[in-house]
């Protein structure tokens, strides 16, 4: 497989701040890769190293198997969709989109044809003569996208491109970007702090923290099998409990939570010995919730008594905060999937939780 | 009509009248003082000068007799028109030179200076805190017969005796005015350059624009408003300057304001002096209008 972009042991430091530390990354041709992490994790710096706006202190950057560490941005066949679009305010939409081609001194007729084609692709031919300030957020987003695509880059970089849009438009643009990626077949590298955006769009996600790549995997693996406590908590919502490994059997074992409780866990990392303090992360969607007559629990399922604290209706899902004695857990479910009517129960109601042993993600504390 | 309705209607009208009265009061409070200021310090003096320019002097007394002789006198005498052309020439040269030095300086401050920017900015504006007169006079010490340049030339051995080529001519006037007005170009241009989001520059480079292309197509058009502001300052102020030609100019480098001074002083021809002032204001106004038209053509306002 051809690596479209490859970083090997790249480090970048700004005065006291180590923005990127020994980062290695290989992006395959035509892949949609997302760099995900909280602000200041180094994801934007990584993107700027690829686009050429930052020169790494150590390590090498390869685009199409050529080292480009010191190649300036304007000589790289990589284009960027900037965070706030950065549409040139003194140029019309047409001139903005044509900019890349006009710098290469392409013939006028060819430029006009190509720009028209690009505007057609995003349905904004009618806005060609408008100034950027006359466009809506979504329109600016689309123009920034085709302005970057007109040079036919090998790699398209997207720096939080949807951050400034409202929720509804963001979903629409996520799909549009995804379709665009499928049709063009070029490599997309997206930077975002929005985990849902990353999960929806990417072939692979790289989760970053403090300049390091913590985990690089498919969205499903990242969500289902987060490799570290940070990833587990950053992706999705999570319940966090503190416990101790009280017994091991095969790959699993028992986790003691407090004095009296011990839960079955299906997978405990090999390097954690009996007696070690661990953090237990559980997805709220994986916990079963029953009012009375709970069904026979499947094998390896922890049955927990709980009492309802609070209940929140959020449209597509219902959130329950339940007290399991000394700790509060969040449980989420789709209203239609609940075995009881959530409107009928009040705080204090006695509930039964089914926590599958496989739902417990165990990390060294 | 229902009486209840009637009374509520009249209450509404009186309420509206009250609102209208309040709005008028606010309007007067807000716009009264600035209007009064403009009236007293700008409109009345200008009107006064305009009026004077149509009067004349007879037997050392101003005669209130409307005529256009002053204007005819100015445009018919080549001596005066030559001074006007000379002033225009000096103002154009000074504006051009101040932009040629001031723009790169502003560019350096905005994009290159980095952490020394504050210190350098301070050094650019520091001369503005000293007297204009002093800043003009200092060039006498540099260019004069006993000045630094002559001293250097003799020290190096290029000349045996002081050269008086540098002072009391068009060159020394233009040089001094350029020096004085460089900050007037640098400051507005620097402000305009600083306001350009770095994203625009990076977007240009990302799309394939090298340094020069990015400057010509992004940075320069977006800094035009600052450039025009600085250019207008420099043009207007150097066109109307009289201190520099008096101190450093020769007989051939008299400027229009020197003539005005003369009319209001020794010559005691206030009407003729006023007519020249009206012409000066006319020239500067046309320059300002031309500049803002050029600005509107070359760049759209930055959001």
């Amino acid at each position: 497989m051809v690596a479209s972009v490859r970083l090997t042991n790249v480090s970048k430091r700004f005065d006291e701040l180590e923005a990127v530390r020994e980062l290695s990354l290989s992006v395959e041709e035509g892949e949609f890769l997302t760099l995900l992490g909280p602000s200041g994790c180094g994801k934007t710096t990584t993107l700027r190293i690829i686009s050429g706006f930052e020169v790494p202190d150590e390590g090498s950057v390869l685009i199409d198997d050529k080292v480009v560490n010191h190649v300036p941005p304007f000589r790289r066949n990589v284009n960027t969709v900037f965070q706030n679009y950065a549409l040139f305010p003194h140029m019309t939409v047409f001139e903005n989109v044509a900019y890349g081609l006009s710098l290469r001194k392409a013939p006028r007729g060819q430029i006009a044809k190509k720009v028209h084609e690009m505007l057609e692709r995003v349905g904004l031919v009618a806005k060609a003569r408008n100034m950027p300030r006359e466009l809506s957020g979504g329109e600016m987003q689309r123009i920034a996208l085709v302005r970057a695509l007109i040079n036919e880059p090998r790699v398209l970089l997207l720096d939080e491109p949807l951050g400034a849009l409202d929720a509804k438009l963001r979903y629409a643009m996520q799909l549009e970007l995804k379709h665009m990626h499928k049709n063009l077949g070029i490599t997309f590298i997206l930077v975002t702090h929005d985990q849902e955006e990353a999960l929806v769009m990417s072939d692979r996600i790289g989760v970053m923290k403090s300049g390091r790549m913590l985990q690089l995997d498919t969205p499903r693996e990242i969500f289902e099998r987060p490799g570290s406590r940070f990833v587990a908590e950053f992706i999705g919502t999570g319940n966090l409990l503190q416990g101790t490994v009280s017994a091991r059997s095969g790959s699993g074992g028992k986790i003691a939570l407090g004095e009296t409780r011990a839960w079955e866990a299906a997978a405990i990392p090999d390097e954690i010995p009996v007696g070690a303090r661990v953090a237990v992360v559980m997805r709220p969607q994986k916990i079963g919730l029953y009012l009375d007559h709970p069904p026979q629990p499947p094998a390896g399922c922890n049955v927990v008594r709980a009492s309802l604290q609070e209940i929140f209706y959020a449209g597509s899902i219902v959130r329950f905060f339940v007290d399991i004695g000394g700790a509060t857990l969040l449980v989420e479910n789709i209203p239609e999937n609940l075995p009881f009517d959530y409107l009928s129960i009040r705080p204090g109601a006695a509930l039964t939780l089914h926590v599958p042993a496989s739902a417990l993600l165990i990390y060294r504390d | 009509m229902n009486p209840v309705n009637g009374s509520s209607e009249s209450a509404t009208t009186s309420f509206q009248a009250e609102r209208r009265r309040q709005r008028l009061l606010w309007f007067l409070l807000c716009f009264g003082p600035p209007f009064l200021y403009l009236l007293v310090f700008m409109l009345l003096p200008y009107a006064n000068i305009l009026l004077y320019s149509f009067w004349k002097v007879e037997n050392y007394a101003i005669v209130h007799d409307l005529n256009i002789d002053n204007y005819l006198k100015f445009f018919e005498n080549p001596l005066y028109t030559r001074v006007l052309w000379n002033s225009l020439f000096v103002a154009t040269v000074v504006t051009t030179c101040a932009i040629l030095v001031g723009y790169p300086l502003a560019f350096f401050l905005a994009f290159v200076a980095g952490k020394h920017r504050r210190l350098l900015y301070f050094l650019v504006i520091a001369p503005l805190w000293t007297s204009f007169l002093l800043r003009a006079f200092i060039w006498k010490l540099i260019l004069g017969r006993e000045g630094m340049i002559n001293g250097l030339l003799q020290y190096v051995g290029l000349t045996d005796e002081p050269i008086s080529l540098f002072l009391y001519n068009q060159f020394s006037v233009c040089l001094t005015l350029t020096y004085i007005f460089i900050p007037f170009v640098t400051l507005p241009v620097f402000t305009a350059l600083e306001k350009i989001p770095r994203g625009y520059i990076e977007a240009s480079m990302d799309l394939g624009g090298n340094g020069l292309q990015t400057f010509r197509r992004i940075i320069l058009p977006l800094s035009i408003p600052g450039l025009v502001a600085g250019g207008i300052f420099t043009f207007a102020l150097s066109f109307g300057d009289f201190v520099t030609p008096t101190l450093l100019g020769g007989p051939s480098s008299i400027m229009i304001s020197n003539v005005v001074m003369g009319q209001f002083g020794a010559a005691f021809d206030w009407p003729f002096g006023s007519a020249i002032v009206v012409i000066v204001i006319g020239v500067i106004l046309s320059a300002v209008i031309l500049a803002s038209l050029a600005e509107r053509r070359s760049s759209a306002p930055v959001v």
Side-chain angles (χ1 to χ4, degrees):
Chain A
M1 193 53 105
V2 185
S4 175
V5 174
R6 193 198 302 271
L7 306 182
T8 44
N9 291 318
V10 165
S11 294
K12 178 72 189 176
R13 153 187 288 282
F14 298 110
D15 293 326
E16 290 303 292
L17 180 79
E18 270 191 276
V20 175
R21 307 180 202 199
E22 293 172 6
L23 187 93
S24 291
L25 172 68
S26 174
V27 189
E28 283 164 21
E29 180 139 22
E31 189 178 8
F32 196 134
L33 181 105
T34 298
L35 298 176
L36 176 69
S39 59
C41 71
K43 56 192 194 295
T44 297
T45 306
T46 307
L47 200 75
R48 290 171 63 81
I49 285 172
I50 299 170
S51 59
F53 289 111
E54 304 291 351
V55 177
D57 299 331
E58 283 160 56
S60 51
V61 186
L62 288 87
I63 296 175
D64 288 331
D65 287 329
K66 277 192 267 315
V67 178
V68 292
N69 279 32
H70 293 282
V71 175
F74 51 87
R75 293 218 191 89
R76 294 190 187 193
N77 200 359
V78 167
N79 286 116
T80 310
V81 177
F82 287 88
Q83 192 165 9
N84 296 311
Y85 319 131
L87 297 179
F88 305 128
H90 59 299
M91 296 183 190
T92 62
V93 165
F94 180 93
E95 289 167 329
N96 263 284
V97 178
Y99 190 75
L101 286 183
S102 71
L103 287 173
R104 297 169 176 201
K105 313 242 171 1
R108 270 168 182 278
Q110 192 189 323
I111 293 178
K113 188 167 157 271
K114 195 95 187 276
V115 172
H116 187 82
E117 211 178 283
M118 279 294 171
L119 290 175
E120 216 160 36
R121 183 170 267 172
V122 289
L124 287 173
V125 177
K127 301 275 180 181
R129 290 178 184 286
N130 286 68
M131 299 306 280
R133 62 174 173 279
E134 296 162 343
L135 302 179
S136 70
E139 288 168 346
M140 285 198 254
Q141 171 62 62
R142 292 186 178 91
I143 297 302
L145 182 65
V146 291
R147 181 180 71 173
L149 287 174
I150 203 160
N151 282 350
E152 295 176 356
R154 306 272 292 141
V155 182
L156 184 74
L157 307 177
L158 302 115
D159 186 6
E160 306 240 7
L162 309 179
L165 303 178
D166 61 74
K168 230 183 189 143
L169 198 53
R170 199 155 60 224
Y171 295 137
M173 282 307 297
Q174 283 174 7
L175 291 183
E176 211 171 312
L177 276 177
K178 191 89 184 124
H179 293 155
M180 195 74 96
H181 173 249
K182 206 178 259 171
N183 293 337
L184 292 168
I186 63 172
T187 310
F188 275 39
I189 302 178
L190 172 85
V191 157
T192 185
H193 63 265
D194 182 335
Q195 40 115 352
E196 196 190 317
E197 194 170 298
L199 291 170
V200 167
M201 301 216 277
S202 325
D203 294 327
R204 280 194 302 162
I205 298 174
V207 183
M208 292 183 69
K209 186 199 175 195
S210 317
R212 289 184 199 283
M213 183 71 80
L214 292 186
Q215 192 173 0
L216 179 62
D217 226 322
T218 61
R220 190 183 161 84
E221 282 296 308
I222 294 262
F223 189 82
E224 297 286 339
R225 267 193 283 278
S228 61
R229 182 178 157 187
F230 176 82
V231 176
E233 287 189 88
F234 190 74
I235 304 276
T237 41
N239 287 298
L240 177 72
L241 295 176
Q242 243 91 28
T244 325
V245 178
S246 58
R248 296 209 53 144
S249 55
S251 61
K254 277 195 175 290
I255 308 292
L257 301 157
E259 301 277 296
T260 54
R261 204 193 312 270
W263 284 5
E264 197 115 13
I268 300 174
D270 290 340
E271 70 274 13
I272 302 180
V274 172
R277 289 189 57 78
V278 289
V280 181
V281 179
M282 283 164 289
R283 299 272 180 237
Q285 305 82 4
K286 303 243 166 184
I287 302 173
L289 187 65
Y290 304 97
L291 188 56
D292 23 49
H293 317 301
Q296 187 63 34
C301 183
N302 301 290
V303 179
V304 185
R305 308 249 162 258
S307 76
L308 181 68
Q309 275 184 339
E310 275 183 288
I311 186 165
F312 295 99
Y313 174 69
S316 52
I317 57 164
V318 186
R319 292 200 176 93
F320 302 86
F321 284 94
V322 296
D323 182 18
I324 56 165
T328 302
L329 289 186
L330 169 64
V331 181
E332 283 181 6
N333 210 334
I334 298 165
E336 290 73 24
N337 286 2
L338 280 170
F340 56 89
D341 181 8
Y342 68 92
L343 288 172
S344 67
I345 59 170
R346 294 278 168 269
L351 299 163
T352 304
L353 307 184
H354 281 184
V355 186
S358 61
L360 269 59
L361 304 167
I362 310 296
Y363 304 99
R364 194 182 270 276
D365 200 11
Chain B
M1 192 193 277
N2 179 326
V4 179
N5 248 345
S7 74
S8 87
E9 232 165 60
S10 75
T12 317
T13 355
S14 80
F15 175 71
Q16 277 175 346
E18 177 63 21
R19 281 284 300 262
R20 218 170 294 143
R21 226 171 296 139
Q22 274 190 0
R23 226 176 278 165
L24 186 69
L25 191 71
W26 270 113
F27 183 82
L28 287 179
L29 271 175
C30 290
F31 293 95
F35 180 73
L36 208 67
Y37 177 89
L38 285 177
L39 188 75
V40 171
F41 293 106
M42 291 191 65
L43 295 177
L44 287 181
Y46 283 147
N48 193 32
I49 281 179
L50 194 66
L51 198 60
Y52 259 87
S53 74
F54 292 107
W55 289 343
K56 62 181 174 188
V57 171
E58 264 170 25
N59 299 324
Y60 302 102
I62 291 162
V63 181
H64 299 187
D65 188 4
L66 289 181
N67 66 84
I68 56 162
D69 291 354
N70 293 321
Y71 293 95
L72 293 177
K73 181 174 159 191
F74 183 87
F75 287 109
E76 275 165 5
N77 189 338
L79 215 62
Y80 294 124
T81 44
R82 201 179 306 142
V83 173
L84 183 69
W85 282 118
N86 182 49
S87 303
L88 271 176
F89 173 76
V90 168
T92 309
V93 168
V94 168
T95 307
T96 310
C97 294
I99 285 173
L100 286 180
V101 180
Y103 193 103
L105 186 60
F107 187 90
F108 180 83
L109 279 179
F111 295 114
V112 189
K115 55 186 165 188
H116 304 298
R117 174 196 294 209
R118 277 178 181 281
L119 177 70
L120 290 167
Y121 184 83
F122 170 79
L123 289 178
V124 170
I125 59 169
L128 296 180
W129 298 344
T130 61
S131 141
F132 186 97
L133 201 67
L134 209 64
R135 273 179 289 152
F137 198 82
I138 207 84
W139 283 93
K140 254 186 146 139
L141 301 182
I142 297 172
L143 302 170
R145 282 182 68 82
E146 310 295 321
M148 284 164 60
I149 292 184
N150 269 315
L152 185 73
L153 286 176
Q154 285 177 67
Y155 176 80
V156 177
L158 278 171
T159 56
D160 297 330
E161 52 186 49
I163 302 175
S164 50
L165 221 63
F166 306 121
L167 206 53
Y168 307 122
N169 53 27
Q170 203 83 290
F171 166 76
S172 57
V173 172
C174 287
L175 180 68
T176 306
L177 284 174
T178 301
Y179 158 75
I180 287 170
F181 288 117
I182 284 170
F184 286 76
V185 172
T186 299
L187 295 187
V189 171
F190 172 74
T191 310
L193 290 176
E194 252 215 327
K195 271 202 313 203
I196 300 176
R198 293 304 178 264
Y200 295 162
I201 294 161
E202 292 192 345
S204 167
M205 296 181 75
D206 186 79
L207 291 164
N210 60 30
L212 200 66
Q213 286 169 318
T214 299
F215 173 74
R216 209 174 59 73
R217 302 189 51 173
I218 308 296
I219 298 173
L220 185 62
L222 290 176
S223 65
I224 288 282
L227 193 62
V228 167
I232 286 175
F233 270 138
T234 304
F235 186 85
L237 292 175
S238 57
F239 183 70
D241 188 46
F242 62 90
V243 173
T244 312
T246 308
L247 278 178
L248 297 119
S252 67
S253 49
I254 283 181
M255 285 173 69
I256 197 75
S257 294
N258 300 107
V259 179
V260 174
M261 287 257 300
Q263 298 308 315
F264 280 90
F268 192 68
D269 194 344
W270 287 24
F272 185 51
S274 298
I276 302 177
V277 168
V278 171
I279 292 164
V280 166
I281 291 173
V283 168
I284 289 174
L285 263 184
S286 335
V288 170
I289 290 167
L290 276 179
S292 42
L293 282 180
E295 180 190 348
R296 209 171 307 163
R297 272 177 58 99
S298 64
S299 80
V302 182
V303 185

